[in-house]
Amino acid sequence: MTYADPRDANYIASANQPHASALASDYTALGMQLERRGIKIDDITRAVANFKVAIPSWGVGTGGTRFGRFPGVGEPRNVFEKLQDCSVIHKLTGATPTVSLHLPWDRTDDYNGLREHGAALGLGFDAMNSNTFQDQPGQPLSYKYGSLTHTDAAVRAQAVAHNIDCIKAGALLGSRALTVWIGDGANFPGQTHLGRAFERYLESTATIYKALPGDWRMFIEHKMYEPAFYATVIQDWGSSLMAAQTLGPKAFCLVDLGHHAPNVNIEMIVARLVHAQRLGGFHFNDSKYGDDDLDAGSIEPFRLFLVFNELVEAELAKAPNFQPAHMLDQSHNVTDPVESLMTSAIELQRAYAQALIVERKALHGYRIGNDVLMAAQTLKRGFTTDVSPILAQARVTRGAAIDPVGAYRSSGYRAKCAEMRPGKQSLGGGIV
Ligand code: RM4
Ligand code: MN
Ligand code: MN
């Protein structure tokens, strides 16, 4: 197979060529349809083209479950190669100009060099993620029984110091946020004092909070279970919000879509966090049962749309302190991660476009008048409209691909990686 760099503008232009006329007629037809609803298609396209989501560095390697991992070919072997894959995703979608790093998985001795490497690839750095849910080789104290909430002050201090190191590394990279997710919790009733563990969390995170540079935000990520199966310390948005409100104005709540019980109304949580002015951002993914790993929009696209509907409401209302960070957080066990991440970024744009085309004035009127059926139908009409031509046109305006997966496949990038990156054993990210 011949190889073409999928990031090359001429390559993308030639890959787009066969799709251009079909896109033009589909876009015109959709434009006419939306015009009948009083919506200007170009406004929506512009908003979609400006939508951005960060790629998780750990997402470009193949994931796994506790039963095993089936490595993909040509996986990135270090953070520099991960950035290279991220640049492919960005060039083909035009939607992912930043990368969210995870330390120590992505640790390097040269953060300035990494920042330059990113800049040369057209990439910046989003939130830093700290990892105190695993022990690292040579680490003095173990996190087996917890990290920021451990009963031993020395372990807590070690975990606090790691978070502060993440801030320092992030500052060199141009990041402006720290995401704190801990695995701390209990597998047995009686194992921990539920109240005191939370108090220890607040004490530890207060020290981390003090180390935040002036323009940084701290994102507190809750998760209902796993690795702790009976109780986790930051289990839900209530604990997360209490912690954020206790810590101060730079602390916000991060909603990972997969971190709730099945059927939980996540859009309600989003609305409440917007009200509290504490919605920090998202880890987007999807799930069917209890996982937090599947591709965004692959299982419950309607729920994703409803989340974006709340975001659009907040955007239009100019909700104070509303600046949600968009990040993906998923684990690709059976697909090429580059393809999954491109597809997922596009699914977020789809949900955003669907939410943008909801006829809000009409919806508002039906709500006020208690016309329940029409309110529901009006909202759903946004969801049932095929906005694909808007998404493709937005990519064209960004110099990206009309058909990102098609362009990626015909470039031969993965086969080239297999040649260039031989002999990878395993990536730390396999557990996610
Ligand atoms: C957790 C959580 C965190 C992520 C780790 C790898 O479930 O979602 O955001 O950093 O996995
Ligand atoms: Mn997450
Ligand atoms: Mn997760």
Side-chain angles (χ1 to χ4, degrees), residues 312-389:
V312 167
E313 288 280 5
E315 192 180 303
L316 293 174
K318 299 200 172 28
N321 276 320
F322 178 73
Q323 242 188 309
H326 306 132
M327 296 172 266
L328 288 163
D329 182 5
Q330 31 189 63
S331 178
H332 315 104
N333 302 346
V334 291
T335 52
D336 179 328
V338 168
E339 295 187 4
S340 267
L341 288 163
M342 291 195 298
T343 311
S344 303
I346 292 167
E347 288 312 296
L348 300 185
Q349 290 181 312
R350 182 186 310 283
Y352 183 42
Q354 289 166 333
L356 284 172
I357 61 169
V358 168
E359 292 148 87
R360 270 181 209 278
K361 261 203 194 124
L363 175 61
H364 184 66
Y366 291 131
R367 281 174 175 168
I368 297 294
N370 293 310
D371 190 337
V372 179
L373 186 113
M374 285 309 292
Q377 287 297 304
T378 303
L379 180 63
K380 204 165 181 193
R381 197 171 181 201
F383 177 69
T384 52
T385 304
D386 181 5
V387 295
S388 304

Side-chain angles (χ1 to χ4, degrees), residues 58 221 254 256 259 283 285 329:
W58 60 103
E221 181 177 3
L254 185 139
D256 182 313
H259 288 187
H283 276 175
N285 51 48
D329 182 5

